[in-house]
Amino acid sequence: MKNISLCLVVFPLLIISCSADSVDTSDNSTDSKVNSKKLEKSARLVENLPPENPANVYDLAGKLHNDILDTYLAGNYQYNTISQISQQIEAIAVMNNDLAILNFATNVPVNLEEIQAIVNNPEAELDEAIVNSSMTNAAKGSLSTFMNAALLWENEEYGTIYQSIVSYESSVMTNSQFSSEDKRIILTTSSIARYSLYYSKERKDKDWETSVGNRVGGASGALDQSLTAIKMALITGISQNNLVTD
């Protein structure tokens, strides 16, 4: 995961620079004040963006991630092993009626050893998982680039992150080189990343800080199926937040 897409990294900066250049603050004219107020209002609207992207057909994966996380954190569980966290996430997931909407395949238990490996070394595990996946080479490179770019977003405002992810998702959906399975994997991964980052930044939830492991868990799980992506993202993220191991 060494090559970071310049477009994904620079895109947020272009939004900021274009917005700033559109306002002339060289005088105190009425037009200048009006434009300044419009810019401030626009910035507020961007920062208040909800995490949804209806254009992504796998958007529900991210929503389910946050819904299940809500339920887990509300339970104030004090589990200290990955297996205990996994069991609770499985129990919460089967009770969620929205799971049927995505027509998930059979609910297969997650691989706890794989989750432990991701907790220990998330980037190396993702590299290996992508290389050994059945994705096309173009899709493998695209997903690796996206995950690398996500590493740079930790200190960004959510509005900037949202615009970057949605722009990326749009490019994936229109990419004729990607197979339908490539798109499912990538769009599931990006949806979970978009919602998870929203959870920690916009909700400012003291019990949840998104992590590299959370996003890697989502991507690794998506290589199997979208339901596995949701569960692995949650279990890995919760384990890293609680600093637990099996």
Side-chain angles (χ1 to χ4, degrees):
M1 294 170 63
K2 300 297 183 184
N3 297 322
I4 300 179
S5 169
L6 183 61
C7 291
L8 283 174
V9 175
V10 172
F11 181 76
L13 301 178
L14 291 177
I15 296 176
I16 295 171
S17 62
C18 289
S19 298
D21 290 344
S22 66
V23 180
D24 179 10
T25 57
S26 61
D27 57 44
N28 294 321
S29 67
T30 301
D31 287 343
S32 177
K33 293 179 180 179
V34 169
N35 286 338
S36 180
K37 289 181 179 179
K38 286 182 178 179
L39 181 60
E40 291 174 2
K41 180 178 180 181
S42 176
R44 288 195 301 271
L45 289 174
V46 168
E47 292 310 314
N48 289 328
L49 277 173
E52 291 84 2
N53 179 20
N56 181 345
V57 295
Y58 296 97
D59 191 67
L60 185 57
K63 179 180 183 300
L64 287 169
H65 171 281
N66 284 15
D67 288 348
I68 295 172
L69 181 59
D70 264 338
T71 303
Y72 183 92
L73 294 180
N76 196 30
Y77 303 109
Q78 301 298 316
Y79 298 129
N80 56 16
T81 68
I82 291 175
S83 60
Q84 290 174 328
I85 294 170
S86 176
Q87 289 173 12
Q88 190 59 50
I89 290 298
E90 293 279 1
I92 295 172
V94 297
M95 296 295 291
N96 193 306
N97 295 328
D98 286 340
L99 289 178
I101 298 177
L102 280 183
N103 295 316
F104 287 127
T106 304
N107 185 4
V108 179
V110 298
N111 185 325
L112 300 186
E113 292 184 0
E114 183 178 358
I115 291 176
Q116 181 65 73
I118 293 173
V119 170
N120 293 341
N121 195 342
E123 294 182 46
E125 287 301 311
L126 181 63
D127 282 341
E128 183 178 352
I130 292 177
V131 168
N132 295 328
S133 74
S134 60
M135 299 174 73
T136 63
N137 288 334
K140 289 178 181 180
S142 179
L143 181 57
S144 293
T145 297
F146 171 75
M147 296 298 289
N148 271 294
L151 294 174
L152 305 179
W153 294 337
E154 296 298 334
N155 298 319
E156 296 285 351
E157 296 293 336
Y158 182 72
T160 300
I161 295 170
Y162 176 87
Q163 297 292 351
S164 296
I165 295 179
V166 169
S167 177
Y168 173 67
E169 290 174 331
S170 177
S171 72
V172 170
M173 289 182 280
T174 57
N175 192 319
S176 60
Q177 289 185 290
F178 296 165
S179 68
S180 58
E181 182 64 2
D182 289 338
K183 293 180 180 181
R184 181 196 65 77
I185 292 169
I186 295 174
L187 294 174
T188 297
T189 300
S190 62
S191 174
I192 291 174
R194 178 162 33 81
Y195 273 83
S196 179
L197 287 161
Y198 172 84
Y199 202 104
S200 64
K201 287 183 172 290
E202 290 300 285
R203 297 181 53 144
K204 296 179 175 60
D205 196 297
K206 295 180 180 179
D207 296 321
W208 179 257
E209 291 292 335
T210 190
S211 63
V212 175
N214 172 259
R215 295 190 293 274
V216 171
S220 297
L223 295 171
D224 293 326
Q225 59 168 313
S226 296
L227 177 55
T228 304
I230 297 168
K231 294 189 295 183
M232 285 190 64
L234 287 165
I235 297 166
T236 307
I238 292 169
S239 297
Q240 285 197 320
N241 270 272
N242 295 342
L243 299 176
V244 303
T245 59
D246 263 348

